[in-house]
Amino acid sequence: MGRVGSRMPMALGLGLLGAGLLFLTALEPTTPYTSWWYWMVLIGLGMGLIMSPMTSAIMSTVPAARAGMASATSNTLRQVGSVFGIAVLGTS
């Protein structure tokens, strides 16, 4: 990330994540696990490419005296987003 910055990995990660989620829309309730595990791998790779650069970008924009607050806010918002995402998907 030191050579390319945080934008390119995050953009690539969002593309992989979006593609994986788009492919998951074709699943049926009777689809066996063996036919969609690779889409989950694609989603995991996308998330991996997003989370670390995002945290690094957040932490590089705040002064050192506020690093703890920025880290806590970032993690809190990530967890709240995950909870709301699961709640929205669980209601449909």
Side-chain angles (χ1 to χ4, degrees):
M1 210 177 78
R3 289 182 293 187
V4 297
S6 61
R7 284 187 180 192
M8 189 167 29
M10 286 173 57
L12 179 63
L14 284 170
L16 291 174
L17 177 63
L21 290 173
L22 183 66
F23 290 130
L24 286 181
T25 61
L27 293 179
E28 298 291 327
T30 58
T31 305
Y33 291 123
T34 56
S35 63
W36 58 277
W37 66 267
Y38 39 87
W39 302 129
M40 297 301 284
V41 170
L42 190 66
I43 291 170
L45 288 173
M47 290 296 285
L49 284 172
I50 294 170
M51 291 303 173
S52 293
M54 180 180 63
T55 302
S56 179
I58 291 169
M59 297 305 292
S60 68
T61 61
V62 296
R66 303 264 181 183
M69 182 180 64
S71 175
T73 303
S74 170
N75 286 327
T76 300
L77 291 175
R78 185 179 303 148
Q79 291 176 4
V80 168
S82 297
V83 167
F84 279 122
I86 291 169
V88 167
L89 289 175
T91 60
S92 57

